[in-house]
Amino acid sequence: MSARDAAPADVDAPVVDVRTRRGLTLSELVLLTVLAAVFGFLYWALVQAWGALQLAMGPFGDLAQHVLVGGWMVVAPLALYIVRKPGVGAVVELAAALVEVAFLASPVGPMLLVVGLVQGAGAELAFTLTRYRRYGWWVFVLSGVTAAVASTLLGMVRSGWHLQDLFALRVALQLVSGVVLCGLLARVLGDALVRTGVLDETALGRAWRARVARDAAAPARATGAAGDGAPA
Amino acid sequence: MSAAPAGASPDGRAAPRARRTALARRDPTVVLATLLVVSLLLLVPVDPWTPLTLLVLTVAAARAAAVPWSTLARGLASFGPFALSVLAVNLVTRPGAPVARVAGLTVTDVGVLVGTGLALRTVLVGTLAVVVAASLDPVRLVASLHRHARLGARGAAALLAAHRVLEQLPARWVAVRQAQAARLPGPRPTRAGALPTSPDLLVRAAFTLLVVTLRQAQQMAVTLETRGVGSGPRTVHRPARLGAGDAVLAAVAVGTTVVVGAVLWRLGLLETWASVGG
Amino acid sequence: MIEVGGLRVRWPHADDDVLAGTDLDVRPGEHVLVLGASGSGKSTLLRTLAGVVPQQVDAQTWGRVQVAGRRVLAPSGPGRPSVPTTTTAHLARDVGTLTQDPWAQLCLPTVTDEVASGLEHRGVPAAEIDARVREALRAVGAAHLADRRTATLSGGEGQRVALAAVLAARPRVLLLDEPTALLDPAGAAGVARALQAAGGPDRTTLLVEHRLDEHDGAGPGGTGGLPERVVVLGARGRVVADGPTADVLGDAGGHLAALGTWLPWAAELAASGARRLADVEAAPVPSRGTPGPALLEARGLVVHRGGRRVLDGVSLAVRAGRVTAVVGLNGSGKSSLLLALAGLLPADGVVRGGRAALVLQRPEQQLLARTVRDEVAWGPRRAGARDAEARADAALARYGLTAVAGADPFRLSGGQQRRLALASVTVCDHEVVLADEPTFGQDRATWRSCAVSLRGLADEGRGVVLVTHDVRLVAEVADDVLVLRDGRALAHGPVEAVLRSGVLAGAGLPLPPAVRAALADGRGAAGVLAGVAAATVRAGAPAGVGP
């Protein structure tokens, strides 16, 4: 059953599937850069909201960043959930930061690139530990925690948070925000997006379609949820 | 003609907002790297004098390079809140000799010094970012990253596609919000053109924006494949070449920062975290 | 140049093939028009030839495909599924692809960069690029756009630039997937002319298209612009007719019309079984009596956008039971008028009346919910209607959406999304319905059901405003017409009078052949056109090649 047996008369070369390529495909690269652009834009909008919240909180304005910090890291676990390849979390977070700095002129300045890379790598750590194979809820919770820890360590180096008052409160706020606004939100967002069909040609889309097909094939479980988002 | 959008001439020609400033002729990768180095250096001083001196020099240089006042003003306006917040929090959270009491909180001398310094640093870094963003040509940036930062052909194409998406985002955001506002039941909006701002509707609009954009991304990826992206070694139509000007830019920017710091240190005005005991 | 043998394509986890055994041979230099109903797999066929299916879009494939001497798809063993053997990007060195949406095909910030990028990626020496960019832009009549930013192009300009980007690489094969579907008539005519010029004897083209009159009219002397060969795809991509264009359109015209494809006017008339238009029985048009009360009234509307006065003193009264069409080219201010009528744009002048429902050109931008059912029920629930659920169910049934009620609305096809938009509007008790280009890019069957729904909304006592550049739609369903150019009203009055006055041509919208003929007939254009449509369907239905 060699390929040569199957070769038609008009072609001599063996039949080789060209789809098998390692690394990121062009579709994945575009998906990731566009995610970075959209989230860079949303992050930038969040920075404007942060400014307002800081002013509203007066002398405690500095704490506002801990409430919102998870929101600035959400694209890393989302990208990992969709593409499921090593490195994409850190890179997409870095690219989102680049969009904020280079194209939207973020007031945080170029240090944001470092922040983005550290936060993205932090969020990715949870997926690295599970070897990019598990995407259950708890992995996303863990991702929120690792992202918050990385971000806190960076804050200690950059701004000496551990030398200031309220360090314990800062850490607690960072953790809660990381778990809710980064980890869990990424999973919720990914699940909603895959239902719309725009992610059909991604690892997440393939996994989802396989599950829908399995559910539909098992009559005992074929409830509303199974037929639910079946391609129309 | 008077109200043409910034960056494009009234007839929509590609006008190279990017070609108007002297900075735009420099290599974009060098510009970005220089900006990064300068802002890293700025992490050292915490006194107000260093950033203030550099801010004055930056504004002067930007004007000399034909960056319009409106760009600078827009930058300053958007960093105002951050600067004020940084000032406020530092005034009352730094240990030091008390100089005043406000609403039950103690303002210290170190707080005044460091707070003003960090607030001015925010404004300075923000202004630098605005000046750079106003002179970046995305195609040159990507061509330069391709040549000097080992960015692959496919990565470069993907970044440019994302830039197109980004360019359309603000208009698309308005279009989605209008489209969704048209679905609301009830009487006419009291003020024409007022879009609903309830968090529920904003979240729905953001989701729709994301879906529409991701669909466009997928179609763009297919377009790029059918235009041969990644099919072999590529050529570059407008190559990015490093010139003497790029070296001068980097040397002047970094050198000025260091010299200003050194002079102020000699004058005893430079403070660091170590010297203020923070 | 193109060889397809026993091609089968099936989407992942689907029960049926979307292409179930397609065979096609195209010789070098041949130009082929591919016709078929919605869902017959035309687009899938083109995307398979380009390598996109199954490389960028997952699918299972069987059979052989060869294009421009390159093996695209081949079986991995006897009786086994086929695998792609040339990457889409490599194939692109000989094969150019143009699709519907200009905004998905412009990937760089300026026109010159856009056209140059295809050459860069194909490794053309940098020194040659400038000349080839200029040549390609000239070939599509877009030399004057070279310095423009892509974001500022109109749809028609954007599509010509995208075509230039494809042509610059000098492809031997050109795959064209409804290249004019999303353009206004002026834009479509421009693209059709450019395509006419692009298809020489050195190039093989495969064209999937609905708007045949525009392509026909791009030929020398205003006719004969269609490709010389037509291939008709039946259900699941099987070739049911293949031959010289005139013969196929003559023989299978009725069948094609019944499938829901558009035909050039002459073929459509022939397909109705009549030799002359006078022989066609006009469909009865119910008397619409005296105009009802004004439900929405605008006087002296002025709108500024981006520093430009896009609407300049336009007045309009929307009356119960009437359909008012607002026509004009892109940029004439008609979309701004619609947004201002809906209260979504700040405008000077007076707008009086209730809230108007709005159905936009791209219905997906209006989606709010995660299932079709929630989408339809969203308005009534938000209004606190007690019978919201019952009303939603009724609307789903009426618009044929019950079967997909549980699906995510983004998953629906374009036609379904349009029906969904209408369904979610009609469940709310809006007295006025505003629709922006409701028939954009649709095949004839969907077009007709959309036209019928819109007329139905008016006949139930609502006031309907259509913003469109589809003059045939205007002739069939509108009572009154407002013609806009550069933000000003050129004419406003009863539909036949305005169409006859020739003012449309002045606004850049020449009458399509069907409308010209129906007006000349003198029995009332709406009735005559509906009569032709009914007769073609009757004539085509029994011709047993159908699904």
Side-chain angles (χ1 to χ4, degrees):
Chain A
M1 116 105 237
S2 77
R4 189 163 295 278
D5 299 339
D10 54 358
V11 198
D12 300 326
V15 172
V16 179
D17 191 337
V18 292
R19 271 175 303 190
T20 52
R21 66 170 299 151
R22 272 181 243 118
L24 295 171
T25 65
L26 182 57
S27 299
E28 286 169 337
L29 280 169
V30 176
L31 175 88
L32 291 172
T33 52
V34 166
L35 273 181
V38 175
F39 279 84
F41 179 71
L42 293 176
Y43 288 179
W44 178 78
L46 190 60
V47 167
Q48 315 302 312
W50 173 36
L53 186 62
Q54 269 185 324
L55 283 185
M57 287 171 71
F60 298 103
D62 202 37
L63 295 179
Q65 59 179 309
H66 306 303
V67 177
L68 298 175
V69 69
W72 277 297
M73 309 189 285
V74 65
V75 75
L78 178 63
L80 283 160
Y81 189 31
I82 297 171
V83 174
R84 309 189 169 190
K85 286 182 182 170
V88 303
V91 169
V92 79
E93 193 70 50
L94 176 68
L98 181 71
V99 167
E100 280 183 272
V101 176
F103 298 114
L104 301 170
S106 169
V108 184
M111 270 306 286
L112 199 62
L113 297 177
V114 178
V115 175
L117 189 62
V118 169
Q119 291 182 339
E124 178 149 350
L125 186 61
F127 297 91
T128 313
L129 291 174
T130 52
R131 303 172 71 192
Y132 303 95
R133 288 198 189 139
R134 295 182 181 279
Y135 296 90
W137 287 98
W138 66 270
V139 184
F140 287 87
V141 171
L142 183 62
S143 170
V145 171
T146 51
V149 169
S151 163
T152 308
L153 289 174
L154 185 67
M156 287 161 67
V157 174
R158 265 180 82 205
S159 310
W161 286 346
H162 54 299
L163 301 174
Q164 282 177 298
D165 308 339
L166 309 170
F167 181 56
L169 180 61
R170 284 179 192 270
V171 174
L173 285 174
Q174 294 258 113
L175 283 173
V176 172
S177 178
V179 168
V180 176
L181 291 182
C182 170
L184 296 179
L185 181 61
R187 169 79 203 245
V188 168
L189 207 48
D191 287 344
L193 282 175
V194 74
R195 277 177 46 88
T196 66
V198 290
L199 300 179
D200 275 0
E201 316 304 331
T202 64
L204 172 59
R206 286 180 203 115
W208 181 83
R209 274 187 306 199
R211 205 188 65 226
V212 170
R214 219 170 37 238
D215 289 354
R221 294 174 56 206
T223 54
D228 213 324
Chain B
M1 298 270 140
S2 55
S9 55
D11 61 352
R13 295 209 153 252
R17 58 171 194 176
R19 259 164 251 155
R20 284 193 316 234
T21 70
L23 200 53
R25 287 193 290 272
R26 300 282 74 83
D27 184 84
T29 306
V30 172
V31 173
L32 270 188
T34 306
L35 180 60
L36 187 62
V37 170
V38 167
S39 48
L40 283 173
L41 286 174
L42 287 174
L43 290 179
V44 176
V46 295
D47 63 276
W49 309 112
T50 317
L52 185 61
T53 312
L54 287 169
L55 184 61
V56 170
L57 291 174
T58 302
V59 171
R63 287 299 301 148
V67 175
W69 279 115
S70 58
T71 306
L72 292 170
R74 201 155 20 94
L76 290 174
S78 61
F79 310 129
F82 292 93
L84 288 177
S85 171
V86 168
L87 177 63
V89 70
N90 278 285
L91 284 180
V92 299
T93 59
R94 297 283 164 194
V99 293
R101 289 188 66 79
V102 180
L105 295 162
T106 310
V107 177
T108 63
D109 59 346
V110 175
V112 173
L113 184 79
V114 172
T116 324
L118 295 188
L120 282 170
R121 183 213 280 174
T122 303
V123 174
L124 171 61
V125 171
T127 306
L128 285 169
V130 164
V131 170
V132 167
S135 14
L136 267 188
D137 173 351
V139 178
R140 287 192 64 221
L141 171 63
V142 172
S144 166
L145 288 174
H146 174 60
R147 194 175 165 106
H148 307 305
R150 303 168 59 93
L151 178 68
R154 294 181 312 132
L159 271 182
L160 287 170
H163 176 262
R164 277 280 298 151
V165 168
L166 186 65
E167 208 177 27
Q168 294 167 43
L169 272 184
R172 188 168 280 162
W173 172 245
V174 174
V176 166
R177 289 185 63 205
Q178 283 176 337
Q180 296 190 337
R183 296 277 309 277
L184 286 168
R188 289 180 73 77
T190 44
R191 198 164 60 79
L195 295 173
T197 51
S198 77
D200 168 53
L201 283 172
L202 287 178
V203 166
R204 286 173 199 271
F207 185 78
T208 297
L209 182 75
L210 189 57
V211 173
V212 171
T213 304
L214 288 178
R215 181 156 286 160
Q216 186 194 11
Q218 210 233 332
Q219 291 170 345
M220 280 180 141
V222 169
T223 298
L224 292 174
E225 293 272 7
T226 61
R227 299 252 181 98
V229 171
S231 62
R234 65 167 287 185
T235 52
V236 179
H237 168 227
R238 289 197 275 154
R241 287 200 187 86
L242 290 179
D246 299 309
V248 171
L249 170 77
V252 167
V254 175
T256 308
T257 312
V258 173
V259 167
V260 166
V263 169
L264 290 170
W265 175 67
R266 288 290 300 209
L267 295 175
L269 291 171
L270 185 94
E271 303 281 353
T272 64
W273 288 117
S275 67
V276 298
Chain C
M1 189 57 49
I2 298 173
E3 293 164 48
V4 178
L7 174 64
R8 280 171 58 209
V9 176
R10 179 181 293 203
W11 303 130
H13 308 293
D15 297 325
D16 279 319
D17 295 337
V18 51
L19 296 178
T22 304
D23 297 289
L24 180 68
D25 267 303
V26 181
R27 288 186 309 277
E30 231 183 341
H31 304 294
V32 181
L33 172 65
V34 181
L35 296 177
S38 263
S40 60
K42 307 181 294 282
S43 204
T44 306
L45 175 62
L46 252 58
R47 293 202 293 169
T48 310
L49 296 180
V52 172
V53 173
Q55 294 182 51
Q56 280 72 44
V57 175
D58 291 348
Q60 285 177 278
T61 48
W62 295 266
R64 291 171 210 292
V65 174
Q66 227 173 304
V67 178
R70 290 176 193 259
R71 195 171 54 179
V72 179
L73 210 56
S76 53
R80 289 177 44 90
S82 294
V83 296
T85 47
T86 308
T87 62
T88 307
H90 276 101
L91 205 51
R93 295 188 165 232
D94 294 310
V95 180
T97 304
L98 188 69
T99 58
Q100 279 190 3
D101 190 350
W103 308 125
Q105 297 182 89
L106 299 173
C107 308
L108 283 120
T110 73
V111 168
T112 299
D113 290 329
E114 183 71 45
V115 181
S117 79
L119 298 174
E120 293 174 334
H121 288 291
R122 290 172 178 102
V124 173
E128 290 175 28
I129 289 183
D130 265 329
R132 278 177 72 169
V133 167
R134 275 200 303 275
E135 174 200 314
L137 283 173
R138 220 176 16 245
V140 300
H144 60 294
L145 302 176
D147 293 328
R148 287 267 292 270
R149 291 189 74 79
T150 40
T152 66
L153 300 177
S154 71
E157 291 169 340
Q159 194 70 333
R160 273 185 292 153
V161 169
L163 177 60
V166 171
L167 292 180
R170 299 179 183 153
R172 292 196 285 156
V173 175
L174 207 46
L175 304 173
L176 307 162
D177 193 357
E178 300 192 30
T180 66
L182 301 183
L183 309 181
D184 70 14
V191 169
R193 274 195 304 274
L195 286 172
Q196 198 72 37
D202 308 331
R203 192 166 277 145
T204 309
T205 58
L206 213 52
L207 169 69
V208 169
E209 187 60 289
H210 284 312
R211 294 171 67 166
L212 303 179
D213 279 330
E214 267 92 352
H215 286 273
D216 199 26
T223 181
L226 290 176
E228 67 266 14
R229 175 177 163 197
V230 170
V231 169
V232 180
L233 297 189
R236 300 203 285 152
R238 287 209 188 82
V239 175
V240 294
D242 185 353
T245 301
D247 298 356
V248 175
L249 291 181
D251 296 345
H255 170 60
L256 281 167
L259 283 179
T261 34
W262 288 106
L263 294 171
W265 168 242
E268 182 178 354
L269 185 60
S272 72
R275 230 173 293 142
R276 298 175 308 138
L277 187 57
D279 298 340
V280 177
E281 190 185 334
V285 176
S287 156
R288 282 154 197 163
T290 50
L295 303 172
L296 185 66
E297 229 177 334
R299 245 180 284 136
L301 276 186
V302 175
V303 173
H304 291 92
R305 277 175 123 171
R308 217 164 56 86
R309 185 176 277 229
V310 290
L311 207 60
D312 195 359
V314 173
S315 302
L316 180 68
V318 185
R319 295 184 184 279
R322 306 281 282 186
V323 176
T324 304
V326 179
V327 300
L329 287 180
N330 289 339
S332 58
K334 54 194 199 320
S335 294
S336 299
L337 172 61
L338 208 63
L339 288 174
L341 286 176
L344 295 171
L345 264 193
D348 299 329
V350 187
V351 184
R352 258 199 313 251
R355 185 183 275 272
L358 179 58
V359 181
L360 286 173
Q361 221 176 78
R362 301 199 164 205
E364 62 175 14
Q365 292 193 339
Q366 293 193 282
L367 298 177
L368 287 157
R370 299 278 56 82
T371 69
V372 169
R373 191 167 192 294
D374 287 346
E375 192 68 53
V376 176
W378 191 85
R381 282 184 198 155
R382 179 118 180 160
R386 236 173 286 146
D387 57 343
E389 308 307 314
R391 265 163 45 182
D393 287 334
L396 286 171
R398 175 174 169 188
Y399 286 94
L401 295 167
T402 310
V404 292
D408 191 288
F410 282 106
R411 266 190 193 273
L412 302 189
S413 69
Q416 285 173 323
Q417 271 186 2
R418 252 163 233 277
R419 295 211 301 274
L420 173 60
L422 282 175
S424 29
V425 156
T426 47
V427 284
C428 300
D429 296 319
H430 295 297
E431 289 180 311
V432 175
V433 175
L434 311 171
D436 196 1
E437 299 293 357
T439 53
F440 222 36
Q442 299 188 350
D443 70 10
R444 186 186 152 104
T446 324
W447 185 94
R448 185 146 299 284
S449 82
C450 185
V452 168
S453 313
L454 288 166
R455 187 65 243 175
L457 290 176
D459 292 343
E460 287 165 16
R462 291 184 177 87
V464 176
V465 178
L466 298 178
V467 157
T468 186
H469 41 56
D470 183 342
V471 179
R472 181 152 182 184
L473 178 72
V474 174
E476 283 207 36
V477 308
D479 301 299
D480 305 295
V481 183
L482 168 64
V483 184
L484 288 184
R485 193 173 79 182
D486 298 331
R488 290 168 192 269
L490 274 190
H492 189 179
V495 61
E496 291 241 350
V498 172
L499 291 181
R500 282 174 194 286
S501 70
V503 70
L504 253 61
L509 292 168
L511 298 183
V515 174
R516 229 179 307 141
L519 284 171
D521 181 82
R523 284 178 290 167
V528 172
L529 288 170
V532 172
T536 21
V537 171
R538 271 199 308 275
V545 259

